[in-house]
Amino acid sequence: TPCPAGRYCPVSGAQTANDACAAGYHCIGGASIAAPTDATGQLCPPGHYCPAGTPAPQGCPPGTFTAATGSPNVAACQPCTASQYCESYGLVTPSGGCTAGYYCPAGTATPSLLCPFGYHCPDGVAVPVNCPTGFHQDEQGKSTCKPCPARHYCDMDDKCLWATWVSADGLTTANYSQPRLCPSGHYCPAGTGVGTSNPCPVGTFHSGSGL
């Protein structure tokens, strides 16, 4: 009887097949050595891992991948690269870049972390990107920021808290740029970043806010 899959039979006259094939290899059947590289077994292929006694390679799980051969256990499968995702078993390379509107830290299986308020997430980002001065974002899951509306300013160095508590994840608890009313004595066209950048010209005045 041929030595069964996952085992090897190193001596003649054997009555049992108790010897497990070496980790990093898979024994198809009929192996006589622990680490065969012939018709009876092979080195574990890329995208897979092979614990000792493996009859067939096991695919690295979603969220991981490996381009290496001879991986002995699941720990040898590396986390998916930050800014990318790994959605299926047995991957040699990541499935692709993170989808716009989402962010993908290392180990992402599918893009599922929605870009939070105050940030934007273009294609292929590992973490949300702050909206720059002059812009804001009051919606989740967006790949771009909105220009600050007229009569307001949006200053990354003069942030304010969201009016009510919102939390899609830990990032939304932080301050971020939001439209604030233009200060007295100044005017703010759309896209204004600093509230004091446009003072009312000589010969004019404005005592209220939001001009």
Side-chain angles (χ1 to χ4, degrees):
T1 301
C3 206
R7 302 287 168 176
Y8 73 102
C9 302
V11 296
S12 61
Q15 298 181 16
T16 59
N18 295 324
D19 295 317
C21 284
Y25 291 81
H26 64 103
C27 292
I28 300 167
S32 60
I33 59 174
T37 55
D38 54 23
T40 65
Q42 289 291 327
L43 192 65
C44 205
H48 297 76
Y49 64 98
C50 299
T54 297
Q58 300 179 41
C60 287
T64 68
F65 75 104
T66 182
T69 57
S71 296
N73 50 52
V74 70
C77 300
Q78 65 188 82
C80 199
T81 307
S83 80
Q84 299 183 304
Y85 66 98
C86 299
E87 67 179 347
S88 59
Y89 285 89
L91 291 177
V92 177
T93 60
S95 304
C98 198
T99 307
Y102 295 83
Y103 63 100
C104 297
T108 295
T110 57
S112 60
L113 295 174
L114 202 61
C115 204
F117 296 99
Y119 298 81
H120 67 294
C121 297
D123 286 317
V125 296
V127 295
V129 182
N130 266 115
C131 288
T133 293
F135 294 83
H136 76 112
Q137 184 50 265
D138 56 0
E139 297 181 86
Q140 294 176 289
K142 298 300 178 182
S143 60
T144 60
C145 297
K146 302 175 182 180
C148 201
R151 303 178 63 189
H152 296 77
Y153 69 97
C154 302
D155 188 353
M156 272 296 297
D157 294 324
D158 185 18
K159 305 172 203 173
C160 56
L161 284 172
W162 192 258
T164 56
W165 187 263
V166 288
S167 183
D169 53 57
L171 290 165
T172 58
T173 62
N175 286 355
Y176 49 83
S177 178
Q178 296 177 56
R180 302 181 69 179
L181 283 173
C182 200
S184 178
H186 298 78
Y187 65 98
C188 296
T192 296
V194 179
T196 56
S197 59
N198 298 301
C200 290
V202 174
T204 67
F205 78 100
H206 180 68
S207 58
S209 58
L211 178 62

